[in-house]
Amino acid sequence: MSNFWDLINIEEFEKRETFSDERWDISFYCKDCRKLVKADRPDAKWYTFVCPECKWEKVVIWTEQWLKNNYKIK
Ligand SMILES: [Zn+2]
């Protein structure tokens, strides 16, 4: 199942000039590992996130609460 928020991608975040790790209480969810992960950001200039466990970039970035609700994380 896919919905609107799944369409939020890396490019979208690059456009957010106000994007801030502190202001946005963001978390990372790996679609392959199916859990919250501490994603690496290889290049701080680009919002490219890599799952530290599977090394894929199928990482969804959003608030922890939203991720938990959407992906049914306990
Ligand atoms: Zn992963």
Coordinates of all heavy atoms in Angstrom, one line a residue:
M1 N 0.8 -1.2 0.0 CA 0.0 0.0 0.0 C 0.9 1.2 0.0 O 1.8 1.3 0.7 CB -0.9 0.0 1.2 CG -2.0 1.0 1.2 SD -2.9 1.0 2.7 CE -2.4 2.6 3.4
S2 N 0.5 2.2 -0.8 CA 1.3 3.4 -0.9 C 0.3 4.6 -0.7 O -0.8 4.5 -1.1 CB 1.9 3.5 -2.3 OG 2.7 4.6 -2.4
N3 N 0.8 5.6 -0.2 CA 0.0 6.8 -0.1 C 0.8 8.0 -0.4 O 2.0 8.0 -0.7 CB -0.6 6.9 1.3 CG 0.4 7.0 2.4 OD1 1.5 7.6 2.2 ND2 0.1 6.5 3.6
F4 N 0.2 9.2 -0.2 CA 0.8 10.4 -0.6 C 2.2 10.6 0.1 O 3.1 11.0 -0.5 CB -0.1 11.6 -0.2 CG 0.5 12.9 -0.3 CD1 0.7 13.5 -1.5 CD2 1.0 13.6 0.9 CE1 1.3 14.8 -1.6 CE2 1.6 14.8 0.8 CZ 1.7 15.4 -0.4
W5 N 2.3 10.3 1.3 CA 3.5 10.6 2.1 C 4.7 9.7 1.6 O 5.8 10.1 1.8 CB 3.3 10.4 3.6 CG 2.3 11.4 4.1 CD1 1.1 11.2 4.5 CD2 2.5 12.9 4.2 NE1 0.5 12.4 4.8 CE2 1.4 13.4 4.7 CE3 3.6 13.7 3.9 CZ2 1.2 14.8 4.9 CZ3 3.5 15.0 4.1 CH2 2.3 15.6 4.6
D6 N 4.4 8.6 1.0 CA 5.5 7.8 0.5 C 6.1 8.5 -0.7 O 7.2 8.1 -1.1 CB 4.9 6.4 0.0 CG 4.6 5.5 1.2 OD1 5.4 5.6 2.2 OD2 3.7 4.7 1.1
L7 N 5.4 9.4 -1.3 CA 6.0 10.1 -2.4 C 7.0 11.2 -2.0 O 7.7 11.7 -2.9 CB 4.9 10.8 -3.2 CG 3.8 9.8 -3.8 CD1 2.7 10.5 -4.5 CD2 4.5 8.7 -4.7
I8 N 7.0 11.5 -0.8 CA 8.0 12.5 -0.3 C 9.4 11.9 -0.5 O 9.6 10.8 0.0 CB 7.8 12.9 1.2 CG1 6.5 13.7 1.3 CG2 9.0 13.6 1.7 CD1 6.2 14.2 2.7
N9 N 10.2 12.6 -1.2 CA 11.5 12.0 -1.5 C 12.6 12.9 -1.2 O 12.4 14.0 -0.6 CB 11.5 11.5 -3.0 CG 11.2 12.7 -3.9 OD1 11.5 13.9 -3.6 ND2 10.7 12.4 -5.1
I10 N 13.8 12.5 -1.5 CA 15.0 13.3 -1.2 C 14.9 14.7 -1.8 O 15.2 15.7 -1.2 CB 16.2 12.6 -1.7 CG1 16.3 11.2 -1.1 CG2 17.5 13.3 -1.3 CD1 16.3 11.1 0.4
E11 N 14.5 14.7 -3.1 CA 14.5 16.0 -3.8 C 13.6 17.0 -3.0 O 13.9 18.2 -2.9 CB 13.9 15.9 -5.2 CG 14.9 15.3 -6.1 CD 14.9 13.7 -6.1 OE1 14.2 13.2 -5.2 OE2 15.7 13.1 -6.8
E12 N 12.5 16.5 -2.5 CA 11.6 17.4 -1.8 C 12.3 18.1 -0.6 O 12.1 19.2 -0.3 CB 10.4 16.6 -1.3 CG 9.2 17.5 -0.9 CD 8.7 18.4 -2.0 OE1 8.7 18.0 -3.2 OE2 8.2 19.5 -1.7
F13 N 13.1 17.3 0.1 CA 13.7 17.8 1.3 C 14.8 18.8 0.9 O 15.1 19.7 1.6 CB 14.3 16.7 2.2 CG 13.3 16.2 3.1 CD1 12.5 15.1 2.8 CD2 13.1 16.8 4.3 CE1 11.5 14.6 3.7 CE2 12.1 16.3 5.2 CZ 11.3 15.2 4.9
E14 N 15.4 18.6 -0.2 CA 16.5 19.5 -0.7 C 16.0 20.9 -0.9 O 16.7 21.9 -0.7 CB 17.1 19.0 -2.0 CG 18.0 17.8 -1.7 CD 18.6 17.3 -3.1 OE1 18.7 18.1 -4.0 OE2 18.9 16.1 -3.1
K15 N 14.7 21.0 -1.2 CA 14.1 22.3 -1.5 C 13.7 23.0 -0.2 O 13.5 24.2 -0.2 CB 12.9 22.1 -2.4 CG 13.2 21.7 -3.8 CD 11.9 21.4 -4.5 CE 12.1 20.6 -5.8 NZ 10.9 19.9 -6.2
R16 N 13.7 22.3 0.9 CA 13.2 22.9 2.1 C 14.4 23.7 2.8 O 15.3 23.1 3.4 CB 12.7 21.9 3.1 CG 11.4 21.2 2.7 CD 11.1 20.2 3.8 NE 9.9 19.5 3.4 CZ 8.7 19.8 3.8 NH1 8.5 20.9 4.5 NH2 7.6 19.1 3.4
E17 N 14.4 25.0 2.5 CA 15.5 25.8 3.1 C 15.5 25.8 4.6 O 16.5 26.0 5.2 CB 15.5 27.2 2.5 CG 15.7 27.2 1.0 CD 15.7 28.6 0.5 OE1 15.7 29.6 1.3 OE2 15.6 28.8 -0.8
T18 N 14.3 25.7 5.1 CA 14.2 25.7 6.6 C 14.4 24.4 7.3 O 14.3 24.3 8.5 CB 12.8 26.2 7.0 OG1 11.8 25.4 6.4 CG2 12.6 27.7 6.5
F19 N 14.8 23.4 6.5 CA 15.0 22.1 7.0 C 16.0 22.1 8.1 O 17.1 22.6 7.9 CB 15.4 21.1 5.9 CG 15.5 19.7 6.4 CD1 14.4 18.8 6.3 CD2 16.7 19.2 6.9 CE1 14.6 17.5 6.7 CE2 16.8 17.9 7.3 CZ 15.8 17.1 7.2
S20 N 15.7 21.5 9.2 CA 16.7 21.5 10.3 C 16.4 20.3 11.2 O 15.3 19.9 11.5 CB 16.5 22.7 11.2 OG 16.9 22.5 12.5
D21 N 17.5 19.6 11.5 CA 17.4 18.3 12.2 C 16.8 18.6 13.6 O 16.1 17.8 14.1 CB 18.8 17.7 12.4 CG 19.3 17.1 11.1 OD1 18.5 17.0 10.2 OD2 20.4 16.7 11.1
E22 N 17.1 19.8 14.2 CA 16.5 20.0 15.5 C 15.1 20.4 15.5 O 14.3 19.9 16.2 CB 17.3 21.1 16.2 CG 18.8 20.8 16.4 CD 19.7 21.2 15.3 OE1 19.8 22.4 15.1 OE2 20.2 20.3 14.6
R23 N 14.8 21.3 14.6 CA 13.4 21.8 14.5 C 12.5 20.7 14.0 O 11.4 20.5 14.5 CB 13.4 23.0 13.5 CG 12.0 23.6 13.4 CD 12.0 24.8 12.4 NE 10.7 25.1 12.0 CZ 10.4 25.8 10.9 NH1 11.3 26.2 10.2 NH2 9.1 26.0 10.6
W24 N 12.9 19.9 13.1 CA 12.2 18.8 12.6 C 12.6 17.6 13.4 O 13.7 17.1 13.3 CB 12.4 18.5 11.2 CG 11.8 19.5 10.3 CD1 12.2 20.8 10.1 CD2 10.7 19.3 9.4 NE1 11.4 21.4 9.2 CE2 10.5 20.5 8.7 CE3 9.9 18.2 9.1 CZ2 9.5 20.7 7.8 CZ3 8.9 18.4 8.2 CH2 8.7 19.6 7.5
D25 N 11.7 17.1 14.2 CA 12.1 15.9 15.0 C 12.0 14.7 14.2 O 11.0 13.9 14.3 CB 11.1 15.8 16.2 CG 11.6 14.7 17.2 OD1 12.8 14.3 17.1 OD2 10.8 14.3 18.0
I26 N 12.9 14.6 13.3 CA 12.8 13.5 12.3 C 13.4 12.2 12.7 O 14.4 12.2 13.5 CB 13.4 14.0 10.9 CG1 14.9 14.4 11.1 CG2 12.6 15.1 10.3 CD1 15.7 14.6 9.9
S27 N 12.9 11.2 12.1 CA 13.5 9.9 12.3 C 13.6 9.2 10.9 O 13.1 9.7 9.9 CB 12.6 9.0 13.2 OG 12.7 9.5 14.5
F28 N 14.3 8.1 10.9 CA 14.5 7.4 9.6 C 14.0 6.0 9.7 O 14.2 5.3 10.7 CB 16.0 7.4 9.3 CG 16.7 8.7 9.3 CD1 17.3 9.2 10.5 CD2 16.7 9.5 8.2 CE1 17.9 10.4 10.5 CE2 17.3 10.8 8.3 CZ 17.9 11.2 9.4
Y29 N 13.3 5.6 8.7 CA 12.7 4.3 8.6 C 13.2 3.6 7.3 O 13.0 4.2 6.2 CB 11.1 4.4 8.6 CG 10.5 3.0 8.5 CD1 10.3 2.2 9.6 CD2 10.0 2.6 7.2 CE1 9.6 1.0 9.5 CE2 9.4 1.4 7.1 CZ 9.2 0.6 8.2 OH 8.6 -0.6 8.1
C30 N 13.7 2.4 7.5 CA 14.2 1.7 6.3 C 13.1 0.8 5.9 O 12.7 -0.1 6.6 CB 15.5 0.9 6.7 SG 16.1 -0.1 5.3
K31 N 12.8 0.9 4.6 CA 11.7 0.1 4.1 C 12.2 -1.4 3.9 O 11.3 -2.3 3.9 CB 11.2 0.6 2.7 CG 10.4 1.8 2.9 CD 9.9 2.3 1.5 CE 8.9 3.4 1.6 NZ 8.4 3.8 0.3
D32 N 13.4 -1.6 3.8 CA 13.9 -3.0 3.6 C 14.0 -3.7 5.0 O 13.6 -4.8 5.2 CB 15.3 -3.0 2.9 CG 15.1 -2.8 1.4 OD1 14.0 -3.0 0.9 OD2 16.1 -2.6 0.7
C33 N 14.6 -3.0 5.9 CA 14.8 -3.5 7.3 C 13.5 -3.5 8.1 O 13.3 -4.2 9.0 CB 15.9 -2.8 8.1 SG 17.5 -2.9 7.3
R34 N 12.6 -2.6 7.6 CA 11.3 -2.5 8.3 C 11.4 -2.1 9.7 O 10.8 -2.7 10.6 CB 10.4 -3.8 8.2 CG 10.1 -4.1 6.7 CD 9.3 -5.4 6.6 NE 9.1 -5.8 5.2 CZ 8.1 -5.2 4.5 NH1 7.3 -4.4 5.1 NH2 7.9 -5.6 3.3
K35 N 12.3 -1.1 10.0 CA 12.4 -0.6 11.3 C 13.1 0.8 11.3 O 13.6 1.2 10.3 CB 13.2 -1.5 12.2 CG 14.6 -1.7 11.7 CD 15.4 -2.7 12.6 CE 16.9 -2.8 12.2 NZ 17.6 -3.7 13.1
L36 N 13.0 1.5 12.4 CA 13.6 2.8 12.5 C 15.1 2.5 12.6 O 15.6 1.6 13.2 CB 13.2 3.5 13.8 CG 11.7 3.9 13.8 CD1 11.4 4.5 15.1 CD2 11.4 4.9 12.7
V37 N 15.9 3.3 11.8 CA 17.3 3.2 11.8 C 18.0 4.6 12.0 O 17.3 5.6 11.9 CB 17.8 2.6 10.5 CG1 17.3 1.2 10.3 CG2 17.4 3.5 9.3
K38 N 19.2 4.5 12.4 CA 20.0 5.7 12.4 C 20.7 5.9 11.1 O 21.8 5.3 10.9 CB 21.0 5.6 13.6 CG 20.4 5.6 15.0 CD 19.9 7.0 15.3 CE 19.4 7.1 16.7 NZ 18.8 8.4 17.0
A39 N 20.1 6.6 10.2 CA 20.6 6.7 8.9 C 21.9 7.6 8.8 O 22.0 8.5 9.6 CB 19.6 7.3 7.9
D40 N 22.8 7.2 7.9 CA 23.9 8.0 7.7 C 23.6 9.0 6.7 O 22.9 8.8 5.8 CB 25.1 7.1 7.2 CG 25.6 6.2 8.3 OD1 25.5 6.6 9.5 OD2 25.9 5.0 8.0
R41 N 24.3 10.2 6.8 CA 24.2 11.2 5.7 C 25.6 11.3 5.1 O 26.4 12.1 5.7 CB 23.7 12.5 6.3 CG 23.4 13.5 5.2 CD 23.1 14.8 5.7 NE 21.9 14.9 6.5 CZ 21.4 16.0 7.1 NH1 22.1 17.1 7.1 NH2 20.3 16.0 7.8
P42 N 25.9 10.6 4.1 CA 27.3 10.6 3.6 C 27.8 12.0 3.2 O 29.0 12.3 3.4 CB 27.2 9.7 2.3 CG 25.9 8.9 2.5 CD 25.0 9.8 3.3
D43 N 26.9 12.8 2.7 CA 27.4 14.2 2.3 C 26.4 15.1 2.9 O 25.2 15.1 2.6 CB 27.4 14.3 0.8 CG 27.9 15.7 0.4 OD1 27.9 16.6 1.2 OD2 28.4 15.8 -0.7
A44 N 26.8 15.9 3.9 CA 25.9 16.8 4.6 C 25.2 17.8 3.7 O 24.2 18.4 4.1 CB 26.7 17.6 5.7
K45 N 25.8 18.1 2.5 CA 25.2 19.1 1.7 C 23.9 18.5 1.0 O 23.1 19.2 0.4 CB 26.2 19.5 0.6 CG 27.2 20.4 1.1 CD 28.1 20.9 0.0 CE 28.9 19.8 -0.7 NZ 29.9 20.3 -1.6
W46 N 23.8 17.2 0.9 CA 22.7 16.6 0.2 C 21.9 15.7 1.2 O 22.5 15.0 2.0 CB 23.2 15.7 -0.9 CG 24.0 16.5 -1.9 CD1 25.4 16.6 -2.0 CD2 23.5 17.3 -3.0 NE1 25.7 17.5 -3.0 CE2 24.6 17.9 -3.6 CE3 22.2 17.6 -3.4 CZ2 24.4 18.8 -4.7 CZ3 22.0 18.4 -4.5 CH2 23.1 19.0 -5.1
Y47 N 20.7 15.8 1.1 CA 19.8 15.0 1.9 C 19.7 13.6 1.4 O 18.6 13.2 0.9 CB 18.5 15.6 2.1 CG 18.6 16.9 2.9 CD1 18.3 18.1 2.4 CD2 19.1 16.9 4.3 CE1 18.5 19.3 3.1 CE2 19.2 18.0 5.0 CZ 18.9 19.2 4.4 OH 19.1 20.4 5.1
T48 N 20.8 12.9 1.3 CA 20.8 11.5 0.9 C 21.1 10.6 2.1 O 22.1 10.8 2.8 CB 21.9 11.3 -0.2 OG1 21.6 12.1 -1.3 CG2 21.8 9.8 -0.6
F49 N 20.2 9.7 2.4 CA 20.3 9.0 3.6 C 20.4 7.5 3.3 O 19.7 7.0 2.4 CB 19.1 9.2 4.5 CG 18.9 10.6 4.9 CD1 18.1 11.4 4.2 CD2 19.6 11.1 6.0 CE1 17.9 12.8 4.6 CE2 19.5 12.4 6.4 CZ 18.7 13.2 5.7
V50 N 21.3 6.8 3.9 CA 21.6 5.4 3.7 C 21.4 4.6 4.9 O 21.9 5.0 6.0 CB 23.1 5.3 3.2 CG1 23.4 3.8 2.9 CG2 23.3 6.1 2.0
C51 N 20.7 3.5 4.8 CA 20.5 2.7 6.0 C 21.8 2.1 6.4 O 22.5 1.5 5.5 CB 19.5 1.6 5.6 SG 19.3 0.4 6.9
P52 N 22.2 2.2 7.6 CA 23.5 1.7 8.1 C 23.5 0.1 8.1 O 24.6 -0.4 8.2 CB 23.6 2.2 9.5 CG 22.2 2.4 10.0 CD 21.4 2.8 8.7
E53 N 22.4 -0.5 8.0 CA 22.4 -2.0 8.1 C 22.4 -2.7 6.8 O 23.1 -3.6 6.5 CB 21.2 -2.4 9.0 CG 21.3 -1.9 10.4 CD 20.3 -2.5 11.3 OE1 19.8 -3.6 11.1 OE2 20.0 -1.8 12.3
C54 N 21.5 -2.2 5.9 CA 21.4 -2.9 4.6 C 22.1 -2.1 3.5 O 22.2 -2.5 2.4 CB 20.0 -3.2 4.2 SG 19.0 -1.7 3.9
K55 N 22.5 -0.8 3.8 CA 23.2 0.0 2.9 C 22.4 0.5 1.7 O 22.9 0.9 0.7 CB 24.5 -0.7 2.3 CG 25.4 -1.2 3.4 CD 25.9 -0.1 4.3 CE 26.9 -0.6 5.4 NZ 27.2 0.4 6.4
W56 N 21.1 0.3 1.8 CA 20.2 0.8 0.7 C 19.8 2.2 1.1 O 19.9 2.6 2.2 CB 19.0 -0.1 0.5 CG 19.4 -1.3 -0.3 CD1 19.9 -2.5 0.1 CD2 19.1 -1.4 -1.7 NE1 20.0 -3.3 -1.0 CE2 19.6 -2.7 -2.1 CE3 18.6 -0.6 -2.7 CZ2 19.5 -3.2 -3.4 CZ3 18.5 -1.0 -4.0 CH2 19.0 -2.3 -4.3
E57 N 19.2 2.9 0.1 CA 18.7 4.2 0.3 C 17.2 4.3 0.4 O 16.6 5.3 0.1 CB 19.2 5.1 -0.8 CG 20.8 5.3 -0.8 CD 21.3 6.2 -1.9 OE1 20.5 6.9 -2.5 OE2 22.5 6.2 -2.1
K58 N 16.6 3.1 0.7 CA 15.2 3.1 0.8 C 14.8 3.6 2.2 O 14.1 2.9 3.0 CB 14.6 1.7 0.6 CG 14.7 1.3 -0.8 CD 14.0 -0.1 -1.0 CE 14.2 -0.6 -2.4 NZ 13.6 -1.9 -2.6
V59 N 15.2 4.8 2.5 CA 15.0 5.3 3.9 C 13.9 6.4 3.8 O 14.0 7.4 3.0 CB 16.3 5.9 4.5 CG1 16.0 6.6 5.8 CG2 17.3 4.8 4.6
V60 N 12.9 6.3 4.6 CA 11.8 7.2 4.7 C 12.1 8.2 5.8 O 12.5 7.8 6.9 CB 10.5 6.6 4.9 CG1 9.4 7.6 5.0 CG2 10.2 5.6 3.8
I61 N 12.0 9.5 5.5 CA 12.4 10.5 6.5 C 11.1 11.2 6.9 O 10.5 11.9 6.1 CB 13.4 11.5 5.9 CG1 14.5 10.8 5.3 CG2 13.8 12.5 7.0 CD1 15.2 11.6 4.2
W62 N 10.8 11.1 8.2 CA 9.6 11.9 8.7 C 9.7 11.9 10.2 O 10.6 11.4 10.8 CB 8.3 11.3 8.1 CG 7.2 12.4 8.0 CD1 6.0 12.3 8.7 CD2 7.2 13.6 7.2 NE1 5.3 13.5 8.3 CE2 6.0 14.2 7.5 CE3 8.2 14.2 6.4 CZ2 5.7 15.4 6.8 CZ3 7.9 15.4 5.8 CH2 6.7 16.0 6.0
T63 N 8.7 12.4 10.8 CA 8.7 12.4 12.3 C 8.5 11.0 12.8 O 7.9 10.2 12.2 CB 7.6 13.3 12.8 OG1 6.3 12.7 12.5 CG2 7.6 14.7 12.3
E64 N 9.1 10.8 13.9 CA 9.1 9.5 14.5 C 7.6 9.0 14.8 O 7.3 7.9 14.5 CB 9.8 9.5 15.9 CG 9.9 8.1 16.5 CD 10.7 8.0 17.8 OE1 11.6 8.9 17.9 OE2 10.5 7.2 18.6
Q65 N 6.8 10.0 15.2 CA 5.4 9.6 15.5 C 4.7 9.2 14.3 O 4.0 8.2 14.3 CB 4.7 10.8 16.2 CG 3.4 10.4 16.9 CD 3.6 9.3 17.9 OE1 4.4 9.4 18.8 NE2 2.8 8.2 17.7
W66 N 4.9 9.9 13.2 CA 4.2 9.6 12.0 C 4.7 8.2 11.4 O 3.9 7.4 11.0 CB 4.5 10.7 10.9 CG 3.8 10.4 9.7 CD1 2.5 10.8 9.4 CD2 4.2 9.6 8.5 NE1 2.1 10.3 8.1 CE2 3.2 9.6 7.6 CE3 5.5 9.0 8.2 CZ2 3.3 8.9 6.4 CZ3 5.6 8.3 7.0 CH2 4.5 8.3 6.1
L67 N 6.0 8.0 11.5 CA 6.5 6.7 11.0 C 5.9 5.6 11.8 O 5.6 4.6 11.2 CB 8.1 6.7 11.1 CG 8.8 7.7 10.2 CD1 10.3 7.8 10.6 CD2 8.7 7.2 8.7
K68 N 5.8 5.8 13.1 CA 5.3 4.7 14.0 C 3.8 4.4 13.6 O 3.4 3.3 13.6 CB 5.4 5.1 15.4 CG 6.9 4.9 15.9 CD 7.0 5.3 17.4 CE 8.4 5.0 17.9 NZ 8.6 5.4 19.3
N69 N 3.1 5.5 13.4 CA 1.7 5.3 13.0 C 1.5 4.7 11.7 O 0.8 3.7 11.5 CB 1.0 6.6 13.0 CG 0.8 7.2 14.5 OD1 0.9 6.4 15.4 ND2 0.6 8.5 14.6
N70 N 2.3 5.2 10.7 CA 2.1 4.7 9.3 C 2.6 3.3 9.1 O 2.0 2.6 8.4 CB 2.9 5.7 8.4 CG 2.5 5.5 7.0 OD1 1.3 5.6 6.6 ND2 3.4 5.1 6.1
Y71 N 3.7 3.0 9.7 CA 4.3 1.7 9.5 C 4.0 0.7 10.6 O 4.6 -0.4 10.7 CB 5.8 1.8 9.3 CG 6.1 2.5 8.0 CD1 6.5 3.8 7.9 CD2 5.9 1.8 6.7 CE1 6.8 4.5 6.7 CE2 6.2 2.5 5.5 CZ 6.6 3.8 5.5 OH 6.8 4.5 4.4
K72 N 3.2 1.1 11.5 CA 2.7 0.2 12.6 C 3.9 -0.3 13.4 O 4.0 -1.5 13.7 CB 2.0 -1.0 12.0 CG 0.9 -0.6 11.1 CD -0.4 -0.2 11.8 CE -1.6 0.0 10.8 NZ -1.6 1.3 10.1
I73 N 4.8 0.6 13.8 CA 6.0 0.3 14.6 C 5.6 0.3 16.0 O 5.0 1.3 16.5 CB 7.1 1.2 14.3 CG1 7.5 1.2 12.9 CG2 8.3 0.9 15.2 CD1 8.5 2.3 12.4
K74 N 5.9 -0.7 16.7 CA 5.6 -0.8 18.2 C 6.7 -0.1 19.0 O 7.8 -0.2 18.7 CB 5.3 -2.2 18.6 CG 4.2 -2.8 17.8 CD 3.3 -3.7 18.7 CE 2.1 -4.1 18.0 NZ 2.4 -4.8 16.7
Ligands
ZN1 ZN 17.9 -1.1 5.9

